[in-house]
Amino acid sequence: MTTADTAIELTQLEWNVKDGGIDGDREERRIQQLEFLESHPELDLLWIMEGVGWHEGRRLNDVASVTGLTALPPVTSRVGDGRNLSIMFYNAERLTPSRPHTELARGAFHHGVSRDVFDVDGIPLLALGTHLSYVSGAARLAEAHHLADYGGQFPGWPEDKILLMDANAPDDTDPEMDDWTRVPEYLWHRYRKILPDGSFGGWDRDARRLLLKSKWRDPQNDVPEQREPTVGYWYDNERVPLRLDQILVTGRRIEVVDYRTLKPESPDLTKLSDHLPVRLGIRLLRSPIDPPAEAA
């Protein structure tokens, strides 16, 4: 059965908040981000990326205070001064950590991966949060190999898993570019495949496709409406709408009920960060269901 009375409803949100919501000595964006998060009391998991400077003062605790969520230890970029934090928050009234927090493949990821196992009323659930490298498709592919291991029943870990990430590359619903002059040529190496002769091809989606071939599932396939792009409005020289922020799931107890990009008119989230948040709603079933049939 897949009815609601056999399931636990969970809501996840991910958001790249751009430089911690801090602009020099001004924190207006961060305060407005907190006000937006406070308006979402139903969250069970919150994955925040680019919490730059949140290790200072009360900034990290401010999120926990307005949401009622509990922060797990941050993971930080292996590049730079260690100020670029990513943090997983969880609803302690519904999720209980069942083993100590760990960072997956420490040092192998530009931004790190939070790896956390929860007991959800007797059902084990693994949550992974990451922020894939912006440097190149090759760098993202190398990172994705570590995440691909969890697409199926990886020994010692729960079967049911959620992966929240800024993938720094388009998803499969983003079309190929008809005019690459819309992106500065010096940034092409970040996004495009580099062909054997050194020329550029189309979008480099290799990291994402490795994950999907490794049995991670795109929630977009389970909902009728296509979600909106998450970037493409902030920088004048990159007006390309893309769904860089993505959530994947795997496991026979996860039933997707909602997957969307949040873009309310009030507050105008396009003024608070260069990424829009993404929300996923699932039912965590007590009995496994058959996985969806793969497309021909």
Side-chain angles (χ1 to χ4, degrees):
M1 292 172 53
T2 60
T3 56
D5 61 351
T6 66
I8 302 168
E9 303 257 353
L10 296 176
T11 302
Q12 292 73 215
L13 185 76
E14 64 169 19
W15 197 8
N16 182 326
V17 297
K18 183 174 170 47
D19 301 326
I22 302 168
D23 304 297
D25 60 353
R26 300 176 58 186
E27 301 197 18
E28 287 90 346
R29 282 197 302 113
R30 187 180 74 86
I31 299 304
Q32 292 174 327
Q33 289 169 355
L34 288 171
E35 292 171 353
F36 169 74
L37 291 172
E38 188 174 17
S39 70
H40 285 72
E42 78 283 3
L43 295 180
D44 296 298
L45 284 173
L46 171 64
W47 176 239
I48 293 289
M49 293 160 284
E50 288 199 19
V52 178
W54 283 16
H55 64 295
E56 299 173 343
R58 303 188 313 272
R59 290 170 180 157
L60 192 151
N61 291 334
D62 283 347
V63 175
S65 178
V66 301
T67 62
L69 302 176
T70 300
L72 287 161
V75 297
T76 188
S77 177
R78 64 174 173 80
V79 179
D81 59 9
R83 293 169 54 89
N84 189 349
L85 307 183
S86 296
I87 312 104
M88 186 77 76
F89 297 83
Y90 70 97
N91 183 344
E93 294 184 358
R94 306 191 70 205
L95 283 70
T96 303
S98 59
R99 67 175 72 180
H101 160 90
T102 56
E103 185 173 353
L104 172 63
R106 182 172 178 82
F109 285 78
H110 187 112
H111 292 105
V113 180
S114 184
R115 180 175 56 180
D116 302 288
V117 180
F118 299 98
D119 179 280
V120 188
D121 195 19
I123 305 171
L125 178 70
L126 172 62
L128 297 165
T130 192
H131 180 180
L132 295 184
S133 175
Y134 69 88
V135 174
S136 68
R140 290 188 290 275
L141 180 60
E143 294 176 338
H145 278 280
H146 296 280
L147 300 167
D149 286 341
Y150 295 85
Q153 182 58 68
F154 195 73
W157 298 95
E159 175 187 357
D160 300 286
K161 311 174 190 76
I162 299 171
L163 170 59
L164 305 103
M165 62 180 173
D166 172 356
N168 262 316
D171 81 1
D172 292 336
T173 61
D174 291 319
E176 288 293 339
M177 289 280 285
D178 56 0
D179 180 10
W180 273 101
T181 63
R182 296 166 62 194
V183 178
E185 192 169 357
Y186 58 85
L187 295 180
W188 287 359
H189 70 96
R190 293 187 179 188
Y191 304 115
R192 302 182 68 176
K193 292 184 72 68
I194 300 176
L195 304 178
D197 64 358
S199 62
F200 288 101
W203 295 116
D204 192 323
R205 309 180 206 243
D206 286 353
R208 171 183 168 84
R209 288 178 175 168
L210 171 67
L211 294 174
L212 295 177
K213 288 293 185 182
S214 301
K215 302 304 182 183
W216 285 97
R217 309 196 313 264
D218 185 352
Q220 183 66 75
N221 297 330
D222 298 332
V223 295
E225 293 187 9
Q226 182 171 301
R227 66 192 182 100
E228 292 194 51
T230 63
V231 302
Y233 56 84
W234 187 272
Y235 300 102
D236 289 336
N237 63 348
E238 287 189 81
R239 297 288 180 176
V240 181
L242 296 169
R243 297 162 182 82
L244 299 188
D245 303 271
Q246 303 162 22
I247 304 176
L248 301 179
V249 300
T250 188
R252 296 178 297 151
R253 291 176 179 83
I254 293 180
E255 181 179 31
V256 174
V257 296
D258 182 49
Y259 186 45
R260 67 184 64 202
T261 300
L262 299 185
K263 192 179 179 181
E265 295 181 359
S266 179
D268 184 355
L269 295 185
T270 64
K271 299 185 184 304
L272 302 191
S273 175
D274 58 345
H275 290 247
L276 294 172
V278 176
R279 186 174 69 199
L280 173 73
I282 66 168
R283 293 189 183 109
L284 191 59
L285 308 176
R286 296 193 177 280
S287 299
I289 58 174
D290 292 331
E294 295 186 5

